[in-house]
Structures are given as structure tokens and as C-alpha cells.
Amino acid sequence: NTADDCAFPLVNSVYCPLHDVSDLVFATKTEAETFGSLVDPKGGSTLASLTNGKNYLYNGAGNIYNNFKTYPSYTATKSETLMCYEEYYGPGYEPNTVVKAALDRNVINFPGPALTQDYSDATRTGPE
């Protein structure tokens, strides 16, 4: 089966309900593992490792899958999980906001109880 013969909405033009999703599952797992190894290598995170991770995840550098940034946003469905996040961070919260802030080492001010989140030193050095 291909995306062309799917009568349902697609995820990344790869997934169709009631079709084999093994390729998508493998790609998602591999992408997450690779991203994790880039941003948190042995010996600790550095500015360079965060930049490499951001380029991999958001710019597709060396990422043949590039699925995470294109997954349909669950923000449209207002899941229970998203409602909890919005209660903490404030209305209009989007999950990638925090990920991008950490990778860019930024400070973000949220209107909710989260208030200020400082990721300016979001690198890990030494043992876990």
C-alpha cells in the first residue's frame, strides 16, 4: 500500500490507518536516538552539540527521516496532556517552543505559572 491509495489523512505522507506502519515506527525511533546522541554525547553537552542537534532536527542536516518536525500537531485536538501544559505555560503553548529555546540557549517568559524559563546554560557536563 502507498500513500496514494489512502483514503484517510496522512502523517508525513507515510502513515495511513489500517496500513503497515513499521517503516514509520523504525524512522521515528532512529530519529529520536540519533537526536539524543547528538545533543547529549558522552562527556556532556556543548554549544556545538546543541547546534548539531538543532540542525539535525529542524534543518534536516544528516536526517534522512526528518519526521518529528512535520508530525501533525496534537495542539489542534486539545488533548488532556496539552491542557495541562497550557495551564502551566499559558495559552498558546507549543511543545517545540521549549525544545527550540533549550537548543538556542534562550530565556523565555511564559504568561502561566512557568514564568521565566532560563535555558541560557542548557548544557550538561560531567557524569549524569
Side-chain angles (χ1 to χ4, degrees), residues 5-6 11 35 55 60 73 84 86 91 93 96-97 110-111 114-115 120:
D5 62 54
C6 181
V11 176
F35 174 70
N55 285 335
S73 174
C84 291
E86 279 193 336
Y93 166 79
N96 272 330
T97 301
F110 291 101
L115 300 176
S120 62

Side-chain angles (χ1 to χ4, degrees), residues 1-3 10-16 19-21 23-25 67:
N1 294 326
T2 68
L10 301 175
V11 176
N12 297 322
S13 299
V14 178
Y15 170 69
C16 181
H19 287 61
D20 180 14
V21 296
D23 289 343
L24 180 60
V25 170
N67 289 320

Side-chain angles (χ1 to χ4, degrees), residues 73-76 78-79 81-98 108-114:
S73 174
Y74 68 91
T75 57
K78 292 290 183 190
S79 69
T81 302
L82 179 61
M83 285 188 242
C84 291
Y85 278 101
E86 279 193 336
E87 188 176 317
Y88 182 67
Y89 289 104
Y93 166 79
E94 293 181 8
N96 272 330
T97 301
V98 174
I108 304 177
N109 294 307
F110 291 101

Side-chain angles (χ1 to χ4, degrees), residues 4-121:
D4 294 330
D5 62 54
C6 181
F8 302 97
L10 301 175
V11 176
N12 297 322
S13 299
V14 178
Y15 170 69
C16 181
L18 309 177
H19 287 61
D20 180 14
V21 296
S22 57
D23 289 343
L24 180 60
V25 170
F26 175 79
T28 302
K29 182 177 187 290
T30 303
E31 187 176 27
E33 289 173 351
T34 303
F35 174 70
S37 68
L38 287 170
V39 298
D40 192 20
K42 290 185 178 180
S45 298
T46 63
L47 183 55
S49 70
L50 294 178
T51 300
N52 290 340
K54 180 180 179 186
N55 285 335
Y56 175 81
L57 192 62
Y58 292 103
N59 300 328
N63 184 350
I64 62 171
Y65 304 109
N66 207 16
N67 289 320
F68 281 150
K69 76 173 188 174
T70 56
Y71 263 57
S73 174
Y74 68 91
T75 57
T77 60
K78 292 290 183 190
S79 69
E80 292 294 323
T81 302
L82 179 61
M83 285 188 242
C84 291
Y85 278 101
E86 279 193 336
E87 188 176 317
Y88 182 67
Y89 289 104
Y93 166 79
E94 293 181 8
N96 272 330
T97 301
V98 174
V99 174
K100 286 181 181 178
L103 291 172
D104 287 335
R105 298 170 51 125
N106 289 333
V107 176
I108 304 177
N109 294 307
F110 291 101
L115 300 176
T116 300
Q117 300 290 309
D118 185 352
Y119 300 103
S120 62
D121 189 25

